[in-house]
């Protein structure tokens, strides 16, 4: 006695179920393939402000001036290699490096990297040099610079290493949000689908 198949979709259904999940899967697979790898030693992203509509707010993507400081290498849960480049802000590099060292000693850096590698697996994003950790004194939680960048400082400030449930929820949404920027640079309807 197996599980019965799902019912056929009813025409006129709106929202998530309207595309019968296959379209969602294709979209996620396409977004995952869009994540680029970078082997550069420096990452500079230009600041941008994009206006959606006259009555809406601006998207503001601040400039990031980062240097690669290292790389964590390990094995993902599926047995494949995983590597996560670590970046620090150029201005204030010494302070950022000391915060990275403290996070490494406390185990928080490894926890954050493990969480991001697990999310990469969930979203079928390759786990070698596609998901990056940066340490920057900024309000930026994450950004999409062709590869995906996630701020360790936010993970630590929010005590996500101590509250795994909250961390998992927050970073899953952040990861999906950054993937969605391959569809649209701004926060519009295309980005939200």
């Amino acid at each position: 006695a197996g599980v019965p198949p799902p019912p056929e979709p009813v025409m006129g259904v709106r929202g998530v179920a309207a595309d019968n999940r296959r379209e969602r899967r294709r979209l996620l697979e396409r977004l995952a393939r869009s994540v680029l790898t970078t082997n550069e030693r420096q990452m500079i992203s230009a600041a941008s402000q994009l206006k959606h509509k006259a009555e809406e707010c601006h998207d503001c993507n601040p400039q990031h001036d980062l240097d690669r400081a290292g790389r964590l290498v390990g094995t993902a849960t599926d047995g494949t290699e995983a590597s996560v480049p670590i970046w620090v802000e150029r201005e204030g590099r010494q302070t950022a490096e000391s915060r990275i060292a403290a996070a490494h000693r406390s185990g928080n850096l490894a926890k954050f990297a493990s969480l991001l590698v697990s999310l990469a697996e969930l979203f079928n994003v390759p786990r070698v040099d596609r998901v990056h950790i940066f340490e920057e004194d900024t309000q930026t939680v994450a950004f999409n610079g062709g590869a995906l960048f996630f701020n360790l400082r936010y993970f630590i400030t929010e005590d996500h290493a101590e509250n795994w449930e909250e961390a998992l929820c927050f970073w899953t949404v952040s990861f999906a949000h950054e993937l969605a920027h391959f569809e649209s640079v701004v926060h519009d309807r295309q980005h939200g689908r």
Side-chain angles (χ1 to χ4, degrees), residues 27-151:
L27 173 63
L28 280 173
E29 288 168 354
R30 184 167 41 81
L31 293 176
R33 286 190 307 270
S34 299
V35 181
L36 303 174
T37 185
T38 179
N39 292 314
E40 301 296 321
R41 300 280 311 144
Q42 182 180 29
M43 197 301 204
I44 298 174
S45 68
S48 65
Q49 284 193 336
L50 303 169
K51 195 168 191 174
H52 297 274
K53 296 178 185 170
E55 70 275 8
E56 292 183 6
C57 66
H58 288 271
D59 270 349
C60 181
N61 297 314
Q63 178 176 340
H64 300 280
D65 189 3
L66 305 172
D67 284 332
R68 189 184 291 229
R71 188 171 168 222
L72 292 176
V73 178
T75 305
T77 58
D78 65 359
T80 61
E81 179 189 357
S83 69
V84 179
I86 309 298
W87 299 79
V88 293
E89 59 187 325
R90 182 178 302 221
E91 187 176 313
R93 180 183 178 116
Q94 198 169 28
T95 304
E97 285 176 339
S98 68
R99 288 191 299 252
I100 291 277
H104 180 58
R105 285 189 304 275
S106 70
N108 288 341
L109 180 60
K111 285 180 182 178
F112 190 41
S114 176
L115 173 61
L116 294 175
V117 167
S118 294
L119 291 173
E121 286 183 63
L122 175 69
F123 288 105
N124 291 319
V125 172
R127 283 150 317 268
V128 176
D129 296 338
R130 307 287 176 104
V131 175
H132 301 249
I133 292 174
F134 70 103
E135 211 298 332
E136 186 178 42
D137 188 8
T138 179
Q139 292 183 356
T140 301
V141 172
F143 67 94
N144 180 331
L148 304 178
F149 290 79
F150 299 92
N151 197 345

